[in-house]
Amino acid sequence: MGTIEIHEPEVKEVKPPSRPRAAVLPKSELVEAKFTPRPMFADSVLDFGQQKKPQSFATVTSFILNCLAIGVMLIMPLAFPEGLPKAQLLTFLVAPPRRPRLHRLPQRCSG
């Protein structure tokens, strides 16, 4: 088998076209604009600005409603026991038998 030679055309450097100079120089206010850095991902986070008043009313209301909901869920089985499974309620839990005690004889000290 012979070798294959690949010839690629020579890449020439291309210069970007130059723009003609502006007839009027830009104002100094535009040239010396102050750049204020923003934190990363500042555009992707919703910012509602400064909160005017603390949200204590909403927090207290939410806490009370959550406590009421948990209380209702705990009281429902006591108020309606007919909905509970009867087979599990009729069986009693029996404690496992005690281990037999091993009586050890007191050891005598030989002195």
Side-chain angles (χ1 to χ4, degrees):
M1 276 202 219
T3 59
I4 300 173
E5 292 184 23
I6 300 175
H7 297 284
E8 294 183 8
E10 184 178 333
V11 178
K12 296 179 181 177
E13 187 176 331
V14 178
K15 294 182 181 178
S18 61
R19 293 186 347 194
R21 294 203 169 238
V24 179
L25 293 175
K27 292 183 178 180
S28 62
E29 302 150 1
L30 297 175
V31 174
E32 297 175 9
K34 293 182 180 178
F35 174 72
T36 56
R38 295 185 307 182
M40 187 183 291
F41 305 115
D43 296 335
S44 63
V45 178
L46 296 177
D47 187 22
F48 296 109
Q50 186 109 6
Q51 295 281 339
K52 293 183 181 177
K53 62 178 183 172
Q55 300 293 327
S56 60
F57 176 74
T59 304
V60 170
T61 305
S62 173
F63 180 74
I64 290 172
L65 290 176
N66 281 312
C67 288
L68 286 175
I70 292 172
V72 167
M73 286 190 277
L74 291 174
I75 291 176
M76 289 303 283
L78 298 173
F80 302 104
E82 61 270 2
L84 298 174
K86 292 186 194 259
Q88 290 179 353
L89 292 175
L90 295 177
T91 59
F92 293 104
L93 292 177
V94 179
R98 289 184 151 189
R99 285 184 20 199
R101 284 187 131 169
L102 298 177
H103 296 285
R104 293 188 180 180
L105 297 174
Q107 294 181 357
R108 295 184 183 179
C109 294
S110 57

